[in-house]
């Protein structure tokens, strides 16, 4: 059977604003249903990406407030959460992470809920979850995510340089993993330097938090044993001379991410709502301290109880839309594969196929407009 995916576009009238439509979207996805009535005032994690300092494409905190207020109303105890990053940036430990979150607008006074870093001060507060899948027997998830009795995923849907796109699956699978879990997912992916074009400028060396890049003469060299696959060097190279190695590592990475998603969802099958914001669809992750021109216009907000159907619907919506002139897209045609236009060798559908295979949801969906 096709799963239900609810959506609304961003056209408004004076009587029907986006906030009113967002409220109806949450009701349609049965946000109230995730609050356990058998337990008084359950703890409910709201998983989102606070955005790296300098990035402006993350979800607006005023939408988060609407989710929080409804959960309080329904009798839950919501908290806002994310796990620390594996790279050294403005969200690498709880102190910097919370500071960045507050500076980006996610203060208690705005969102009406406390902020909890899921894997603790330095990313080591984790829970091991047994999954017994193809690549992992166990996965390591932020402790606060596992201990929460219900979960709401609020994801900014955008392109991603390793997964093709980042939606609900990435928000849950990658975003909820502890530092060890993130390393386990990234460890087999090392970019390569185009030696013929490398100028030896050293920008990649200065930006590599793992000290995995060094200069040998006038050429940069990447040590795959130290590289964690964060892909920051690809972005910071001013000449575009560092590339992802297009081999089996990308499919393996995508499967690893899905298996981590499986671990997060384990034990909470009826107590999770997924919401994707298909707005400011940037060509790279919100983990960067900036964001490029969106590749398509703002397409709306979608929600579902089926994580696979939701991401599939968002991908279809982006691909069916015309691209924005001046963006990083090579093909602006409505109906073209926008993800492969920017990342031509990433088979982004692997994450959807594998998630469906693991029973996380269905790629078949019914799109219901609110």
């Amino acid at each position: 059977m096709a799963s239900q995916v609810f959506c609304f576009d961003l056209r408004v009238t004076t009587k029907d604003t986006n906030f009113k439509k967002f409220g109806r979207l949450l009701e349609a996805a049965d946000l109230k249903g995730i609050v356990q009535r058998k337990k008084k005032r359950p703890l409910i994690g709201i998983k989102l990406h606070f955005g790296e300092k300098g990035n402006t494409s993350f979800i607006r905190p005023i939408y988060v407030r609407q989710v929080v207020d409804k959960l309080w109303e329904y009798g839950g105890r919501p908290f806002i959460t994310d796990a620390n990053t594996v790279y050294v940036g403005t969200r690498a430990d709880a102190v910097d992470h919370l500071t960045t979150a507050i500076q980006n607008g996610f203060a208690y006074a705005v969102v009406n809920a406390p902020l909890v870093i899921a894997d603790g001060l330095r990313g080591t507060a984790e829970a091991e979850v047994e999954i017994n899948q193809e690549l992992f027997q166990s996965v390591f998830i932020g402790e606060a995510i596992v201990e929460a009795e219900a979960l709401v995923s609020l994801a900014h849907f955008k392109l991603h340089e390793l997964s093709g796109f980042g939606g609900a699956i990435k928000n849950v699978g990658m975003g909820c993993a502890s530092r060890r879990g993130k390393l386990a997912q990234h460890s087999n992916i090392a970019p390569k330097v185009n030696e013929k074009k490398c100028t030896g400028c050293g920008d990649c060396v200065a930006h590599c938090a793992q000290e995995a890049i060094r200069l040998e003469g006038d050429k940069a060299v990447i040590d795959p044993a130290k590289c964690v696959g964060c892909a920051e060097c690809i972005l910071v190279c001013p000449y575009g001379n560092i590339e992802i190695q297009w081999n089996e590592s990308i499919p393996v990475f995508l499967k690893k991410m899905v298996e981590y998603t499986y671990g997060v969802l384990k034990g909470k099958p009826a107590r999770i709502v997924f919401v994707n914001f298909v707005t400011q669809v940037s060509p790279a992750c919100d983990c960067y301290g900036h964001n490029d021109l969106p590749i398509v216009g703002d397409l709306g907000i979608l929600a579902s109880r089926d994580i696979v159907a939701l991401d599939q619907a968002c991908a279809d919506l982006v691909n069916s839309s015309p691209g924005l002139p001046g963006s990083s897209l090579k093909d602006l045609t409505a109906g073209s594969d926008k993800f492969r236009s920017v990342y031509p060798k990433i088979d982004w559908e692997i994450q959807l196929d594998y998630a469906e295979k693991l029973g996380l949801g269905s790629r078949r969906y019914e799109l219901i407009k609110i």
Side-chain angles (χ1 to χ4, degrees):
M1 292 181 61
S3 297
Q4 291 183 324
V5 177
F6 304 95
C7 70
F8 69 88
D9 61 30
L10 301 179
R11 294 299 305 275
V12 301
T13 67
T14 55
K15 294 182 178 180
D16 197 18
T17 67
N18 283 328
F19 286 120
K20 289 182 178 179
K21 290 197 285 187
F22 188 55
R24 295 201 300 273
L25 182 77
L26 296 176
E27 290 176 4
D30 192 21
L31 180 69
K32 187 176 182 178
I34 70 172
V35 180
Q36 292 176 286
R37 293 301 177 185
K38 293 182 179 180
K39 183 167 184 178
K40 189 176 180 179
R41 301 178 66 223
L43 293 166
I44 303 175
I46 301 175
K47 167 63 181 75
L48 70 153
H49 192 306
F50 298 125
E52 198 75 8
K53 186 175 181 179
N55 189 286
T56 60
S57 62
F58 51 84
I59 296 170
R60 293 172 181 170
I62 48 179
Y63 280 113
V64 179
R65 172 64 179 259
Q66 198 166 349
V67 178
V68 169
D69 286 347
K70 283 188 175 293
L71 290 173
W72 282 120
E73 177 187 338
Y74 297 151
R77 283 184 293 161
F79 62 93
I80 313 299
T81 191
D82 196 6
N84 292 312
T85 61
V86 71
Y87 60 86
V88 179
T90 64
R91 298 179 301 120
D93 59 59
V95 174
D96 289 343
H97 205 156
L98 290 170
T99 300
T100 299
I102 292 168
Q103 289 175 342
N104 283 349
F106 295 96
Y108 194 110
V110 179
V111 298
N112 195 32
L115 277 61
V116 177
I117 301 305
D119 56 348
L121 183 63
R122 297 186 181 276
T124 57
E126 62 189 14
E128 184 175 359
V129 178
E130 185 176 337
I131 62 169
N132 297 316
Q133 295 300 325
E134 178 184 332
L135 300 173
F136 292 120
Q137 296 301 303
S138 297
V139 293
F140 297 92
I141 309 297
E143 189 175 55
I145 296 291
V146 175
E147 293 187 355
E149 283 126 348
L151 192 66
V152 179
S153 166
L154 300 180
H156 171 222
F157 192 88
K158 67 282 182 185
L159 273 62
H160 192 275
E161 55 277 14
L162 292 179
S163 55
F165 71 80
I169 292 174
K170 181 186 177 296
N171 187 48
V172 171
M174 180 61 65
C176 291
S178 66
R179 184 180 298 277
R180 173 159 46 162
K182 288 184 173 71
L183 281 168
Q185 292 177 63
H186 283 93
S187 60
N188 292 329
I189 305 174
K192 64 178 179 180
V193 178
N194 189 324
E195 296 182 1
K196 294 182 179 179
K197 296 181 178 180
C198 180
T199 65
C201 69
D203 280 9
C204 57
V205 177
H207 280 83
C208 183
Q210 309 300 323
E211 298 182 348
I213 310 177
R214 65 184 185 278
L215 288 179
E216 291 187 357
D218 60 351
K219 304 294 180 183
V221 177
I222 298 175
D223 183 350
K226 293 182 178 180
C227 176
V228 299
C230 72
E232 185 173 355
C233 58
I234 296 172
L235 192 72
V236 302
C237 179
Y239 308 104
N241 294 336
I242 300 182
E243 307 163 348
I244 295 174
Q245 295 198 62
W246 306 112
N247 53 29
E248 65 177 3
S249 293
I250 293 296
V252 169
F253 163 76
L254 289 170
K255 284 189 169 184
K256 286 181 175 181
M257 185 173 71
V258 170
E259 290 191 6
Y260 262 76
T261 302
Y262 182 96
V264 173
L265 303 189
K266 184 179 180 181
K268 297 184 177 72
R271 301 195 301 278
I272 305 181
V273 168
F274 307 98
V275 183
N276 282 359
F277 289 69
V278 193
T279 58
Q280 286 189 267
V281 184
S282 49
C285 184
D286 293 344
C287 292
Y288 293 117
H290 57 273
N291 49 283
D292 197 7
L293 181 75
I295 62 163
V296 294
D298 289 350
L299 301 177
I301 303 176
L302 292 77
S304 181
R305 288 300 194 94
D306 185 325
I307 192 172
V308 182
L310 178 62
D311 274 359
Q312 180 71 69
C314 292
D316 290 344
L317 197 61
V318 169
N319 283 338
S320 65
S321 302
L324 289 180
S327 70
S328 60
L329 286 177
K330 297 177 178 64
D331 186 352
L332 304 180
T333 309
S336 64
D337 190 326
K338 306 297 187 299
F339 313 109
R340 284 191 174 94
S341 179
V342 179
Y343 304 110
K345 296 184 179 179
I346 291 182
D347 186 359
W348 53 270
E349 294 185 87
I350 289 174
Q351 61 180 297
L352 298 170
D353 282 335
Y354 193 52
E356 187 176 53
K357 179 182 177 181
L358 294 189
L360 299 182
S362 171
R363 295 187 67 176
R364 296 179 58 214
Y365 63 90
E366 176 189 5
L367 196 61
I368 303 171
K369 294 186 178 181
I370 300 299

